[in-house]
Amino acid sequence: GQNRIMLCALLLFSSYEAPVDKPKAAVEMPELVRRYSTDRQALEGFYFIDSAESRLKRIEDFSKDWLGQLKTVDFDGLDQSGKIDYVLLRNENEYLIKKAGFERARAKQTQELLPFAPKIIGLEEARWKVLPVDPEKAAGELDSLAKEIKEQRRKLQEAMDKAKDKPKPVSPELAFRASNEAKELSATFEKWFKHYDGFKPLFTWWCRKPYEAAKKELDDYAKFLKETVAGVKEGEDDPLIGDPIGKEELQAELDHEMIPYSLDELIKIAEREYAWCEAEMKKASREMGFKDDWRKALEKVKNLHAEPGEQDNLVADQAREAIAFLDKNDLVTIEPLARETWRVDMMDAKQQRSLPFAAYGGQKMLVSFPLDSMDHETKLMSLRGNNIHFTRAITQHELIPGHHLQGYMAQRYKSYRQVFSTPFFGEGWALYWEFLLYEMGFPRGPEDKIGMLFWRMHRAARIVVSLSFHLGKMKPQEMIDYLVEKVGHERWTATSEVRRFIGGQYSPLYQCAYMIGGLQLRALFKEFSKNPSPAPLDSHESSKNPSPAPLDSHESSKNPSPAPLDSH
């Protein structure tokens, strides 16, 4: 009856129904979230073809089922932690439904360029279902597929020839995306063929030649889309081509991240933070004897770099220095194993094309520095971008108290919430510590201040350029120019940064998450330091639209210096 225990995650394989006269059993939300996470991994691992309608439909149905399960949970009977889990789980599934709709719309955009895609996907999906394959029939389908791909390429070439000096019939962005989808289809096609090849001799006898013909046409077409239509030549640097997602999808991303600020408000926050940084830059510049010309001071700092071959030792020393500062000021607990299990790895030239500074790679900081294979100009730009004071600012961001400590703790405390991970906490945590260390005197002098302020300006600028790009207001080259002119980036490092911003490997709000997440954590600390008891989540309806904690404004004070320590 109505008192049935609906959540199978609590009683595996059980169909127990509680007596009507007993109260509804309590739900253990951590176990429910673990079940959800495991089921989702299983689903996404099975339906791995991104553009397949079957995957999108299955994700939608899966999320709707989980939203239905949540409606059976007694929200008011949960403790505070359980209510948080409930809100997170509901929010995640509502987002996945919206995201599937956006992905379906994007798939339709490339459908005209890849009309044969459903046939290839259908072959692989039939294999998933272990349906019998008719070798002779399959050979005919492959022969037709090769002809269809060839004809599609011919028609597109003809349309481009007719256009001549007019705008191309297909935008470079769409062609590049279709090229990548064609490559994925090629990998799927190959997986399908290899499953049967040799194992079923009759299949090989019938299908090998038509498969090879179709595979060649598909690979040639992917190359044609990339090089001829998108204009990206083989052997060149990764292109500065990306797909702006538009205001509607950006808003859906903000809703998912529970960010209560509009896109315009976020850009204004970024501009406000940039102005504060610029004022601080001028102070440091005066200390260095350059008056208010902070760009000259920045130029001097850029040329203070380690000798070739010494960057790994520099980073290690800086990491130990940051840990010692934390210990001396009793700022955070660092468990012994967290202190022990970090190291540094040097990045190769390919990695540095999109990670020109540093990154955290799980127990290790990935470090950029010029390699002997780089041309002279690139070496100089990398040296300047990875100078001593820039590096000192980023080392504590990546290791301790930043991502290494953060990841260590996340794996050990409430690790079941990993499915709800967000860059607004992931990157925001590291930014919060950048704010705090700056104000507590971690910089040893004006050069260190400029190193930290450079990154803080960068965090503000990346909000402007990334959101403006996705709103269609800024092109990649304009983004590069902005980072060079406003922050003082080397053009090589700015180009590498923008390549990552628009490449699709990160969520569209990832670049925004650094500064905004740090400000959120700072505001949260201020709120909790005044009132250590958290406000209860009274109902799942009221928790949908929480009132935002104000983000501290440096402009709200007559004193332009940083906000006091207790606001962090």
Side-chain angles (χ1 to χ4, degrees):
Q2 293 180 350
N3 292 319
R4 177 185 294 272
I5 299 177
M6 299 296 292
L7 303 174
C8 298
L10 304 179
L11 295 172
L12 294 175
F13 312 113
S14 173
S15 59
Y16 171 76
E17 187 170 323
V20 175
D21 59 342
K22 289 187 178 181
K24 185 182 292 185
V27 172
E28 296 292 338
M29 286 303 298
E31 291 304 314
L32 191 66
V33 173
R34 289 189 185 98
R35 175 60 184 269
Y36 166 77
S37 180
T38 303
D39 286 356
R40 180 171 162 184
Q41 288 175 7
L43 192 71
E44 292 177 341
F46 186 81
Y47 294 94
F48 62 81
I49 305 175
D50 290 342
S51 59
E53 171 59 27
S54 59
R55 183 186 76 87
L56 300 175
K57 181 66 166 61
R58 190 64 188 86
I59 287 174
E60 287 176 328
D61 291 344
F62 173 78
S63 295
K64 289 174 183 177
D65 287 344
W66 271 95
L67 289 173
Q69 288 191 55
L70 278 177
K71 289 180 180 179
T72 69
V73 175
D74 179 14
F75 181 87
D76 293 331
L78 299 173
D79 61 15
Q80 184 77 351
S81 181
K83 289 178 178 179
I84 292 171
D85 290 334
Y86 181 104
V87 172
L88 289 170
L89 188 54
R90 184 196 60 208
N91 179 63
E92 187 71 12
N93 282 285
E94 290 175 344
Y95 168 71
L96 287 179
I97 293 171
K98 289 181 182 179
K99 187 178 178 183
F102 289 123
E103 289 183 2
R104 182 177 286 112
R106 288 169 68 82
K108 286 183 179 178
Q109 292 174 348
T110 55
Q111 189 173 7
E112 188 175 343
L113 294 174
L114 305 169
F116 47 81
K119 293 182 180 179
I120 297 174
I121 293 171
L123 291 172
E124 177 66 355
E125 289 181 338
R127 185 181 75 83
W128 295 350
K129 298 173 184 177
V130 200
L131 299 178
V133 60
D134 181 333
E136 184 176 357
K137 181 180 178 182
E141 292 173 351
L142 296 177
D143 185 62
S144 296
L145 179 63
K147 293 174 181 175
E148 185 177 352
I149 298 171
K150 186 174 183 178
E151 177 62 14
Q152 172 63 27
R153 177 177 172 176
R154 186 198 65 78
K155 289 194 297 184
L156 183 53
Q157 181 67 70
E158 186 178 88
M160 292 183 64
D161 291 342
K162 287 181 179 178
K164 292 184 179 180
D165 297 331
K166 299 178 182 178
K168 292 183 178 180
V170 178
S171 70
E173 292 79 11
L174 185 59
F176 191 66
R177 190 186 343 144
S179 172
N180 288 331
E181 287 185 24
K183 290 177 184 177
E184 292 173 2
L185 286 172
S186 181
T188 299
F189 193 28
E190 184 175 357
K191 185 185 293 288
W192 170 82
F193 179 76
K194 284 186 174 180
H195 177 80
Y196 302 108
D197 183 33
F199 175 67
K200 295 182 181 293
L202 197 59
F203 174 88
T204 301
W205 190 90
W206 274 106
C207 294
R208 177 176 289 280
K209 286 298 181 182
Y211 162 76
E212 289 176 348
K215 181 70 160 53
K216 184 178 184 304
E217 290 294 343
L218 181 56
D219 290 341
D220 288 348
Y221 183 56
K223 185 177 180 181
F224 169 76
L225 286 170
K226 177 181 177 180
E227 297 188 0
T228 304
V229 186
V232 180
K233 302 303 180 184
E234 194 66 33
E236 293 182 350
D237 283 344
D238 295 338
L240 289 170
I241 294 178
D243 275 330
I245 63 173
K247 187 174 183 177
E248 183 182 1
E249 191 168 347
L250 269 179
Q251 186 58 55
E253 294 287 341
L254 287 174
D255 293 342
H256 173 234
E257 298 290 0
M258 300 185 184
I259 302 301
Y261 304 100
S262 70
L263 295 166
D264 288 340
E265 286 172 331
L266 290 172
I267 290 175
K268 287 179 181 178
I269 290 170
E271 291 171 343
R272 180 196 77 199
E273 292 298 318
Y274 177 89
W276 181 88
C277 290
E278 190 171 36
E280 289 293 298
M281 275 283 204
K282 289 178 180 178
K283 291 181 186 178
S285 177
R286 291 178 208 131
E287 289 186 57
M288 292 176 63
F290 293 102
K291 297 183 179 179
D292 283 350
D293 194 346
W294 63 266
R295 294 180 185 277
K296 284 186 178 178
L298 180 66
E299 185 66 20
K300 179 178 179 179
V301 167
K302 283 184 176 183
N303 287 295
L304 301 173
H305 55 75
E307 291 297 318
E310 293 300 320
Q311 188 76 352
D312 55 346
N313 294 325
L314 172 71
V315 169
D317 288 343
Q318 291 174 340
R320 298 183 187 105
E321 184 184 8
I323 293 170
F325 185 88
L326 297 169
D327 290 341
K328 179 181 178 181
N329 291 279
D330 194 24
L331 292 177
V332 66
T333 299
I334 308 171
E335 293 189 5
L337 196 59
R339 294 175 185 268
E340 177 185 349
T341 55
W342 62 265
R343 63 177 184 270
V344 299
D345 279 8
M346 305 304 294
M347 283 194 275
D348 61 31
K350 183 177 181 181
Q351 288 175 303
Q352 292 187 49
R353 286 163 66 182
S354 58
L355 294 169
F357 300 107
Y360 182 68
Q363 294 189 314
K364 59 190 176 187
M365 177 173 164
L366 304 175
V367 179
S368 286
F369 205 67
L371 299 170
D372 59 2
S373 60
M374 293 178 175
D375 62 65
H376 185 66
E377 184 179 4
T378 302
K379 281 181 183 176
L380 292 179
M381 286 192 287
S382 181
L383 275 177
R384 287 158 56 79
N386 291 284
N387 63 72
I388 293 170
H389 303 285
F390 284 14
T391 302
R392 186 174 187 269
I394 205 170
T395 296
Q396 50 83 18
H397 175 110
E398 305 297 349
L399 292 173
I400 296 173
H403 294 320
H404 177 68
L405 180 61
Q406 178 185 40
Y408 178 93
M409 300 299 285
Q411 290 169 349
R412 289 160 176 79
Y413 301 94
K414 292 192 181 294
S415 59
Y416 69 91
R417 285 182 176 168
Q418 184 177 1
V419 70
F420 306 127
S421 65
T422 167
F424 285 84
F425 175 65
E427 299 296 352
W429 168 265
L431 259 290
Y432 167 82
W433 279 101
E434 287 187 31
F435 297 161
L436 184 59
L437 292 178
Y438 184 87
E439 294 171 15
M440 289 199 68
F442 183 63
R444 300 162 301 184
E447 292 84 2
D448 279 349
K449 288 181 181 179
I450 283 178
M452 296 187 79
L453 289 166
F454 168 84
W455 287 111
R456 198 154 167 174
M457 292 178 91
H458 177 60
R459 315 304 187 191
R462 73 199 314 174
I463 296 174
V464 176
V465 298
S466 63
L467 293 185
S468 296
F469 169 76
H470 283 296
L471 289 170
K473 297 179 179 179
M474 193 175 279
K475 298 291 185 183
Q477 191 57 54
E478 293 173 306
M479 298 167 71
I480 293 169
D481 294 341
Y482 190 95
L483 293 179
V484 171
E485 294 164 10
K486 297 284 285 186
V487 183
H489 270 282
E490 299 297 304
R491 191 157 292 276
W492 177 74
T493 59
T495 302
S496 298
E497 286 287 298
V498 169
R499 184 176 288 122
R500 187 169 78 256
F501 296 174
I502 68 176
Q505 299 95 338
Y506 295 83
S507 71
L509 291 181
Y510 197 93
Q511 311 311 324
C512 178
Y514 287 74
M515 175 68 76
I516 300 302
L519 292 172
Q520 286 180 310
L521 285 170
R522 190 170 72 176
L524 189 64
F525 182 88
K526 182 178 181 180
E527 181 180 334
F528 270 66
S529 64
K530 290 180 178 179
N531 177 21
S533 299
L537 295 178
D538 294 326
S539 74
H540 53 273
E541 290 303 318
S542 64
S543 64
K544 285 185 177 179
N545 295 298
S547 299
L551 301 185
D552 294 325
S553 171
H554 302 299
E555 294 178 355
S556 65
S557 171
K558 294 180 180 179
N559 184 349
S561 61
L565 179 59
D566 61 8
S567 72
H568 290 238

